[in-house]
Amino acid sequence: MANPFLRRATEYVREDESFLSIVSPAPLTTFLATNKHRDDMFEVPVRIIGAPGSGKTMLATLAEFRMVEIILRDETNATNRTLADALAQAGFLKDGRPHVAAVRVPMESEYRDFWELPYDPAVKTKLAFWLVQARAMLGLVRNLTANRTRGVDDIDFIPRANYEAHLEQIGGLTATGIRERALAVQRAIYSVGAGLRAPRLEYLPADATAPYAPFDAISRIRIGWSGEAIEVTPLVMLDDVHALHHDQLEAMFEMLSHREMKFGRWMMMRLDALSPGAVMHSPATQPTHNRASGRDFVDIWMQGDQKKDAARRQFRVMARDMAKRYLPMVEGLRNRGATDIDRLVPSAPPRLPPGKVKDLVAQVAKDQVKLKIGPERRAEIDSIVDAFIARTKSYDDAPEVALAMKRILLHRYAVRIARSTPSLFEELDPDPPKPLKADSDLAHGARLHLHHQFDRPLHYGVDDVCDASNANAEVFLQFAGALVANIETRAIRNNPLPLPPREQQSILIDKARSIMDGWAFPNAQRVRDMVDAIGRDCKDESNLPNAPLGAGANAIAILEDEMEELSHDDELGSVLKHAIANGAITIERNYGQGGKLWALVELTGTVALVHGLTFNRGGFLPKNVGYLSQVTGLADA
């Protein structure tokens, strides 16, 4: 089989069994099962928001009833048991039986075409909304009968209380009647939108204008299951609603927000469908649709709406699970029993060749002389670093790391002494006003210096591949696919399969550059210019001899008051919105440091990889809005 990492999009997997063999249940447990609004997700409108490739379509496809039924049909299969457990945690199963009957409705561009019709906006919205409802009902009937475990006659729809008078408009309560009515509505409305010329309003087909509201009328569905009748909650998942015109999306959301509606409705959308203020989590930005999220609707962010360290850990679990499912499909690796991603992409640290270590020893000695630091202070610095390495049993205890740490401390000592109040008596190597110490940030800063000054690999191992992926499943599969392609070549040539750190990093950087070069979203060039400028400035700061930011910088920070004003700036706000929505930067609001509140604009792992920056969080350069205008090219526009 061809490298499955490179043929990654779930939309291209046609067979249900093939889809289930590669799909990870992690999004269900990560984004749905632990959501604080889990009990409301099937009763109020839900917006599932994420960047391209974050897994929205995969989640919607996995949750469809036909897939759920296939999973439950054979729970002796270990994969199915894992998926069933995740579905139960997310609320799609209860007591081992279906609790929700879900259908995915792709929101193709044809729905947006209705917004171009020469009718009043209310008419255009109703036409598109009724077509969505018709296709949802047809999809539900297909899903419920797809696996031939029941016929159309085994399905009954249960109306909302006091809504019996509306049953005729939807075709009654039998699956046959509802299907026939939905077919008629779909046929009539489709003929209006697909025609070369739109008919005059009074000439629209009757089936296109007659009232049609199955989402309002239906509350439950009764189906046959294992010889008995059970009731399930209907759910429509509108995939890629960002394809709608903005005003059309707003109007459709209003129609989906009727408080008494019992039909579950989810909208899967990309971040760039939201306003700049919403994408940037601006505190003063009102929720879209002027409602309070969590009461009238629920937002589920598939990345970026939780503590970043927790999100990073969760994504590492999900990514490894995906790799565990994909690697056995690579025949050359399966035949050699090589299906453990951590063994193929090891995290064992590299070592500098003896010649470069000798050069580093000479550089440290030269700096000591230049900074006029005596042997006793040097011995103290050596002992501080040696004690840290012995105490922590650092996984990277190569001699060059210790030397680089000592070199940084020499420079820190010199800086602190230069800034201190001079003594009345000349003193050789006086004590610094702030004691020197060695910690993990210093060690990481040393490794970063070694990367830029001695070409020692900095990013390697599965954790770094995950962190470079911006918590995005598709980006991870692109990185992993490039690595696996190289490992396949090694297998064909009968070479050792594990990739050395240098080759890992080279492959990852090439793929990261390819991803950035391929950006084609609005303002893509301005975003590239912005992140490249931030990357260069962060690299310069991180490479200062005394490593003032420890592990280094990968972000800038704008005072919160300035950023709040920026959130409503159309041009610069739009650039930042698309940068966030497409995985170039992330933003953290109200980040407290130095007695001030900052908006932290952080480069994502993909960009940090290209510029050789740390993936550690917290190191930033204080800037202002003018800096952002300058690096995006808007200051001269």
Side-chain angles (χ1 to χ4, degrees):
M1 177 180 178
N3 186 341
F5 291 88
L6 302 178
R7 189 175 175 79
R8 59 197 172 276
T10 53
E11 294 95 320
Y12 299 127
V13 181
R14 300 303 180 191
E15 296 79 19
D16 292 343
E17 288 76 8
S18 298
F19 172 82
L20 293 175
S21 69
I22 64 172
V23 70
S24 170
L28 289 169
T29 54
T30 300
F31 303 116
L32 302 183
T34 59
N35 191 281
K36 63 182 179 181
H37 300 296
R38 178 180 176 275
D39 295 337
D40 299 326
M41 292 191 301
F42 304 112
E43 295 183 5
V44 300
V46 174
R47 301 191 306 181
I48 298 182
I49 305 164
S54 56
K56 301 182 297 297
T57 296
M58 181 275 292
L59 189 154
T61 303
L62 177 60
E64 282 200 292
F65 185 87
R66 62 187 175 85
M67 289 295 189
V68 173
E69 192 167 36
I70 291 172
I71 291 167
L72 294 178
R73 190 167 57 191
D74 180 16
E75 289 193 79
T76 61
N77 181 301
T79 297
N80 286 356
R81 285 199 304 274
T82 303
L83 293 172
D85 180 62
L87 287 165
Q89 291 182 54
F92 286 89
L93 303 180
K94 186 174 288 187
D95 299 326
R97 300 187 299 185
H99 176 62
V100 175
V103 58
R104 170 180 167 260
V105 177
M107 300 299 290
E108 300 101 337
S109 59
E110 66 175 312
Y111 292 101
R112 187 183 181 113
D113 293 342
F114 282 93
W115 202 249
E116 307 303 324
L117 293 173
Y119 308 136
D120 183 82
V123 174
K124 295 186 289 188
T125 299
K126 283 186 176 181
L127 287 172
F129 186 51
W130 289 351
L131 180 59
V132 166
Q133 292 183 91
R135 287 180 172 167
M137 301 312 297
L138 292 171
L140 268 177
V141 174
R142 279 197 303 272
N143 263 267
L144 292 167
T145 58
N147 298 313
R148 301 182 180 180
T149 53
R150 71 189 58 79
V152 175
D153 295 336
D154 299 317
I155 305 168
D156 293 303
F157 291 82
I158 301 172
R160 251 175 58 192
N162 303 319
Y163 222 83
E164 292 81 358
H166 299 77
L167 298 183
E168 184 178 349
Q169 59 165 270
I170 67 170
L173 293 176
T174 66
T176 300
I178 281 180
R179 183 174 61 183
E180 293 304 316
R181 172 66 175 140
L183 282 169
V185 172
Q186 176 183 243
R187 189 163 43 244
I189 296 178
Y190 180 77
S191 69
V192 174
L196 292 175
R197 292 184 61 185
R200 292 172 59 180
L201 188 59
E202 58 267 27
Y203 294 145
L204 290 178
D207 284 327
T209 57
Y212 182 67
F215 288 0
D216 283 304
I218 294 170
S219 65
R220 306 276 288 169
I221 306 174
R222 185 181 294 112
I223 61 172
W225 182 266
S226 299
E228 60 178 313
I230 64 171
E231 291 185 6
V232 292
T233 297
L235 169 67
V236 60
M237 299 175 290
L238 306 180
D239 198 6
D240 291 338
V241 296
H242 52 263
L244 299 173
H245 185 279
H246 175 73
D247 293 338
Q248 186 181 27
L249 175 58
E250 290 284 322
M252 190 167 289
F253 189 93
E254 292 293 329
M255 303 191 81
L256 288 166
S257 298
H258 296 169
R259 284 182 177 271
E260 301 304 319
M261 193 179 286
K262 299 300 182 184
F263 205 111
R265 54 269 190 216
W266 290 6
M267 286 152 284
M268 333 288 281
M269 65 174 66
R270 283 167 36 172
L271 279 166
D272 49 16
L274 306 179
S275 68
V279 173
M280 291 189 283
H281 301 291
S282 173
T285 301
Q286 293 297 319
T288 307
H289 313 110
N290 297 315
R291 288 185 169 83
S293 177
R295 184 183 66 197
D296 293 331
F297 69 94
V298 170
D299 275 346
I300 297 175
W301 298 75
M302 293 194 71
Q303 53 195 104
D305 193 43
Q306 59 207 93
K307 293 296 183 182
K308 291 184 176 181
D309 288 340
R312 178 175 284 185
R313 289 192 297 270
Q314 288 177 342
F315 184 75
R316 287 176 178 178
V317 173
M318 185 171 78
R320 279 182 167 85
D321 184 69
M322 293 166 62
K324 182 176 72 174
R325 294 169 185 274
Y326 277 63
L327 278 172
M329 299 182 185
V330 183
E331 185 176 0
L333 303 184
R334 184 179 66 246
N335 291 342
R336 296 182 60 168
T339 57
D340 185 339
I341 187 69
D342 284 286
R343 290 188 177 184
L344 295 171
V345 186
S347 59
R351 294 291 181 108
L352 281 182
K356 287 191 175 183
V357 174
K358 185 177 179 180
D359 291 341
L360 179 57
V361 170
Q363 182 66 57
V364 176
K366 181 179 178 181
D367 284 1
Q368 180 184 345
V369 173
K370 178 182 177 181
L371 297 171
K372 300 179 180 179
I373 296 174
E376 289 186 5
R377 186 65 63 183
R378 169 64 193 274
E380 179 191 346
I381 287 173
D382 287 352
S383 66
I384 290 172
V385 171
D386 294 341
F388 167 77
I389 292 177
R391 181 174 67 251
T392 59
K393 296 181 180 178
S394 171
Y395 83 102
D396 191 355
D397 57 359
E400 62 264 26
V401 176
L403 283 166
M405 292 174 70
K406 293 169 184 177
R407 184 183 179 215
I408 292 172
L409 287 184
L410 288 172
H411 283 274
R412 287 188 179 179
Y413 172 78
V415 169
R416 291 177 187 181
I417 291 301
R419 291 175 179 171
S420 64
T421 303
S423 171
L424 294 175
F425 305 98
E426 187 173 348
E427 186 179 358
L428 180 64
D429 290 344
D431 289 335
K434 180 180 178 182
L436 298 172
K437 69 174 184 177
D439 55 20
S440 58
D441 277 348
L442 176 68
H444 195 90
R447 288 191 284 271
L448 189 141
H449 280 194
L450 289 170
H451 171 61
H452 288 290
Q453 296 166 26
F454 289 88
D455 197 29
R456 185 181 192 261
L458 178 65
H459 296 307
Y460 49 87
V462 179
D463 283 349
D464 276 5
V465 178
C466 296
D467 296 347
S469 303
N470 318 324
N472 185 294
E474 184 171 336
V475 175
F476 169 77
L477 290 173
Q478 289 187 58
F479 282 131
L483 294 169
V484 168
N486 188 281
I487 295 169
E488 277 192 286
T489 302
R490 297 170 72 89
I492 293 170
R493 295 173 179 173
N494 205 29
N495 291 333
L497 299 186
L499 281 173
R502 186 171 302 280
E503 290 190 35
Q504 291 184 46
Q505 181 170 266
S506 176
I507 293 166
L508 292 173
I509 290 175
D510 286 346
K511 176 52 68 175
R513 284 199 179 104
S514 173
I515 290 171
M516 290 177 63
D517 290 343
W519 287 344
F521 49 83
N523 291 309
Q525 188 55 53
R526 292 191 186 277
V527 170
R528 267 190 291 268
D529 292 342
M530 175 182 70
V531 298
D532 283 342
I534 294 174
R536 288 191 298 269
D537 290 345
C538 287
K539 178 181 173 180
D540 291 343
E541 182 73 15
S542 300
N543 274 313
L544 291 176
N546 64 328
L549 295 177
N554 57 13
I556 63 165
I558 310 293
L559 284 172
E560 188 60 52
D561 290 343
E562 280 195 79
M563 184 59 80
E564 182 56 24
E565 294 179 10
L566 172 66
S567 297
H568 307 287
D569 181 277
D570 290 339
E571 203 164 14
L572 186 52
S574 178
V575 172
L576 293 175
K577 178 183 89 166
H578 288 291
I580 296 168
N582 291 278
I585 62 172
T586 63
I587 191 163
E588 183 169 345
R589 302 303 294 266
N590 293 301
Y591 183 85
Q593 187 161 312
K596 299 177 181 179
L597 289 179
W598 302 88
L600 212 60
V601 179
E602 182 185 80
L603 300 176
T604 58
T606 300
V607 180
L609 185 62
V610 169
H611 289 278
L613 303 177
T614 180
F615 290 158
N616 289 17
R617 286 167 163 150
F620 66 84
L621 312 180
K623 298 291 182 181
N624 55 33
V625 171
Y627 172 87
L628 285 175
S629 296
Q630 180 182 355
V631 297
T632 55
L634 291 172
D636 303 324

